[in-house]
């Protein structure tokens, strides 16, 4: 007899031994007390902690107007859409959301999906299948959803080292000028906090006649005059053919989308199986997302205040000599290295000091590069920031690093 349970159990045990097994914490999130929350430990004892790893950067998930809009439309339209977009699942709330997303990115059309992962997967796979001769040119640090979308297309792909413009141009100039090409990259890379050299990439794409596909997931809501992302902040929206974004991070709700020309969006709408065969988002979710976007499009001061907090937190970390990857974004990674050490540090922070930082390990980051990814929100105050800096200083002394000095050459100290 084949023991399928044992086969799977052995694979799980291997993850646990390496320190890459993923443990979930049941967070009792409170709209009134965010980023503070309650949870129960293994013994059933109720504990309190501060969330320092949420992607709800601008705390829009707990914004009164967004919550009110969600509640109102839920009572009016129900909890679900009842079907795919083609079969009763398109409402006026879906259309309004896509209209405001088009305005946000300066594009003719937008298309909403259940998540940004699904949007990337469907859009890239569909583009490849509609243009089987097209070659994808992708940054090697691109998100898993991009990797899976390109893989699902079946098209040829070429990878270039992260943000390496010389390597990128070598690939582009090696291909025939009439060869269809799709350059895929992100604006803000979520684990390292690096940003793409977007202006140069757009120029190269135009020079070699490549379509540009940009993932703005960690930038929408936070960057640009109206929250349209780094492409808006740099005045590059017209140079990007397709923009992918999320409604679940800066906008604090749920879902993902693409925005582009009417033809590009209609092609993905008409041929993308990940869109055609998926039940649409609930109308109330669409309404809440629309409200969130409308608020943030008029809230430049919120973004300014947010980045002032990011900079202030980093000054506190510097004062405590806590090494972190210095980058121009809102993401502050603290390199730990060993996965088991990272898990021990995260557990101590949570259970002893009331600080919640989930370990980031393989396959999200390379093996041996586990880290703690610190993300501040608009709801974190001076007290929480000081407590975090003190807690990190304490725990890094308790669990000393076993990482060669060379690994820290890009860290701020």
């Amino acid at each position: 007899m084949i023991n399928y349970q044992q086969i799977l159990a052995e694979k799980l045990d291997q993850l646990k031994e390496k320190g890459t097994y993923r443990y979930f914490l049941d967070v009792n999130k409170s709209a009134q007390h965010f980023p503070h929350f309650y949870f129960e430990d293994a013994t059933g004892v109720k504990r309190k902690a501060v969330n320092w790893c949420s992607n709800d950067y601008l705390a829009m998930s707990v914004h009164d107007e967004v919550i009110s809009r969600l509640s109102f439309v839920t009572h009016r339209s129900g909890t679900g859409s009842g079907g795919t977009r083609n079969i009763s699942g398109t409402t006026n709330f879906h259309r309004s959301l896509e209209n405001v997303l088009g305005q946000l990115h300066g594009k003719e059309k937008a298309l909403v999906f259940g998540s940004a992962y699904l949007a990337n997967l469907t859009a890239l796979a569909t583009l490849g299948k509609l243009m089987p001769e097209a070659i994808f040119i992708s940054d090697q640090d691109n998100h898993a959803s991009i990797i899976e979308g390109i893989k699902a297309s079946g098209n040829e792909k070429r990878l270039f080292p992260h943000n390496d413009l010389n390597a990128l141009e070598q690939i582009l100039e090696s291909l025939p000028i009439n060869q269809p090409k799709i350059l895929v990259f992100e604006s803000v890379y979520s684990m390292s906090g690096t940003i793409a050299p977007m202006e140069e990439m757009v120029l190269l794409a135009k020079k070699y006649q490549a379509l540009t596909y940009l993932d703005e997931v960690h930038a929408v809501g936070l960057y640009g005059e109206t929250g349209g992302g780094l492409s808006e902040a740099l005045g590059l929206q017209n140079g990007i053919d397709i923009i992918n974004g999320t409604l679940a991070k800066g906008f604090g709700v749920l879902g993902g989308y693409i925005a582009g020309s009417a033809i590009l969006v209609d092609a993905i709408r008409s041929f993308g199986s990940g869109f055609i065969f998926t039940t649409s988002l609930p109308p109330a979710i669409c309404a809440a997302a629309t409200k969130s976007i409308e608020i943030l499009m008029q809230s430049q001061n919120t973004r300014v205040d947010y980045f002032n907090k990011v900079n202030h937190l980093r000054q506190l970390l510097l004062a405590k000599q806590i090494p972190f990857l210095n980058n121009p974004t809102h993401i502050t990674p603290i390199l730990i290295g060993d996965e088991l050490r990272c898990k021990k540090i995260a557990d101590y922070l949570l259970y002893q000091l009331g600080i919640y930082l989930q370990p980031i390990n393989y396959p999200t980051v390379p093996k041996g590069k586990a880290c703690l990814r610190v993300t501040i929100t608009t709801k974190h105050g001076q007290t929480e920031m000081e407590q975090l800096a003190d807690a990190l200083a304490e725990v890094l002394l308790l669990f000393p690093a076993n990482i060669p000095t060379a690994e820290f050459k890009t860290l701020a100290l």
Side-chain angles (χ1 to χ4, degrees):
M1 294 288 292
I2 300 174
N3 190 334
Y4 294 102
Q5 299 297 317
Q6 183 178 349
I7 293 171
L8 298 176
E10 289 174 355
K11 296 296 183 182
L12 291 171
D13 287 341
Q14 291 173 12
L15 286 182
K16 293 174 183 177
E17 290 171 4
K18 296 175 182 177
T20 56
Y21 182 79
R22 296 177 183 238
Y23 296 89
F24 292 167
L25 181 69
D26 294 337
V27 173
N28 185 1
K29 183 182 177 184
S30 167
Q32 289 72 39
H33 302 117
F34 181 79
H36 296 262
F37 67 92
Y38 291 96
F39 68 100
E40 288 187 2
D41 64 18
T43 64
V45 175
K46 191 174 184 179
R47 294 175 176 267
K48 184 179 180 181
V50 180
N51 193 337
W52 279 100
C53 52
S54 172
N55 290 329
D56 189 10
Y57 304 124
L58 303 179
M60 295 305 290
S61 77
V62 298
H63 193 289
D64 287 341
E65 291 183 59
V66 176
I67 294 172
S68 294
R69 185 63 173 160
L70 178 70
S71 176
F72 175 81
V73 177
T74 298
H75 283 284
R76 175 180 172 181
S77 298
T79 58
S81 69
T84 64
R85 290 291 295 274
N86 186 56
I87 306 175
S88 82
T90 295
T91 69
N92 55 318
F93 299 107
H94 292 82
R95 188 67 65 213
S96 294
L97 175 56
E98 289 172 343
N99 287 340
V100 78
L101 286 168
Q103 295 169 19
L104 178 69
H105 292 293
K107 298 298 182 185
E108 292 178 333
K109 292 288 183 180
L111 192 65
V112 173
F113 292 78
S115 71
Y117 189 108
L118 182 59
N120 270 338
L121 179 64
T122 302
L124 292 168
T126 303
L127 285 173
K129 290 175 180 178
L130 292 176
M131 297 182 287
E133 71 281 11
I135 294 177
F136 285 98
I137 305 168
S138 179
D139 189 296
Q140 68 176 12
D141 281 6
N142 277 342
H143 190 262
S145 58
I146 293 174
I147 296 171
E148 292 301 318
I150 294 173
K151 184 186 298 184
S153 73
N155 290 49
E156 183 181 348
K157 69 174 180 180
R158 304 282 180 87
L159 298 180
F160 60 94
H162 181 50
N163 284 349
D164 189 328
L165 290 170
N166 290 330
L168 171 59
E169 183 160 22
Q170 286 175 12
I171 293 172
L172 288 166
E173 67 183 1
S174 72
L175 300 172
I177 194 65
N178 60 349
Q179 171 81 53
K181 318 164 193 70
I182 305 174
L183 174 59
V184 189
F185 57 102
E186 301 179 38
S187 58
V188 175
Y189 286 82
S190 61
M191 291 302 112
S192 62
T194 55
I195 62 174
M198 291 171 55
E199 294 173 286
E200 293 87 346
M201 284 182 161
V202 169
L203 288 173
L204 285 174
K206 299 309 175 188
K207 178 180 178 180
Y208 294 99
Q209 299 184 31
L211 200 69
T212 46
Y213 187 105
L214 173 65
D215 183 312
E216 285 262 43
V217 161
H218 286 273
V220 291
L222 279 74
Y223 299 82
E225 185 68 25
T226 65
L230 273 178
S231 56
E232 181 192 20
L234 297 172
L236 296 174
Q237 287 183 321
N238 289 337
I240 304 295
D241 295 300
I242 303 178
I243 293 175
N244 167 276
T246 185
L247 305 168
K249 294 180 172 62
F251 297 126
V253 190
L254 179 69
Y257 62 89
I258 60 166
S261 71
I263 292 294
L264 279 168
V265 171
D266 195 25
I268 293 166
R269 182 191 72 87
S270 300
F271 292 95
S273 60
F275 175 82
I276 295 170
F277 299 105
T278 301
T279 297
S280 65
L281 286 173
I285 291 292
C286 295
T290 302
K291 172 57 71 174
S292 180
I293 295 166
E294 289 172 345
I295 291 170
L296 288 177
M297 287 180 75
Q298 304 297 323
S299 303
Q300 177 64 354
N301 287 340
T302 299
R303 286 179 279 279
V304 172
D305 292 343
Y306 176 74
F307 281 98
N308 286 338
K309 283 194 171 188
V310 172
N311 294 329
H312 181 60
L313 173 62
R314 291 184 176 184
Q315 291 304 311
L316 292 176
L317 297 180
L318 287 170
K320 294 289 183 177
Q321 297 187 318
I322 297 167
F324 60 88
L325 286 168
N326 198 12
N327 60 59
T329 69
H330 58 287
I331 296 166
T332 306
I334 299 173
L335 181 63
I336 303 299
D338 179 72
E339 285 81 7
L340 289 172
R341 175 178 180 247
C342 193
K343 181 66 169 65
K344 291 177 182 178
I345 287 175
D347 284 348
Y348 188 91
L349 286 169
L350 178 62
Y351 295 108
Q352 301 301 321
L353 303 176
I355 301 291
Y356 181 43
L357 277 169
Q358 186 74 340
I360 306 296
N361 51 39
Y362 179 83
T364 307
V365 294
K367 293 179 181 178
K369 301 288 185 180
C371 67
L372 298 174
R373 178 179 173 274
V374 179
T375 52
I376 196 169
T377 74
T378 53
K379 293 289 187 178
H380 287 93
Q382 179 69 21
T383 299
E384 287 85 3
M385 286 189 270
E386 291 176 356
Q387 288 173 345
L388 174 67
D390 290 339
L392 287 170
E394 177 181 338
V395 77
L396 291 176
L397 283 175
L398 283 173
F399 300 92
N402 185 25
I403 302 174
T405 305
E407 294 285 353
F408 289 98
K409 62 185 179 181
T410 60
L411 303 190
L413 275 172

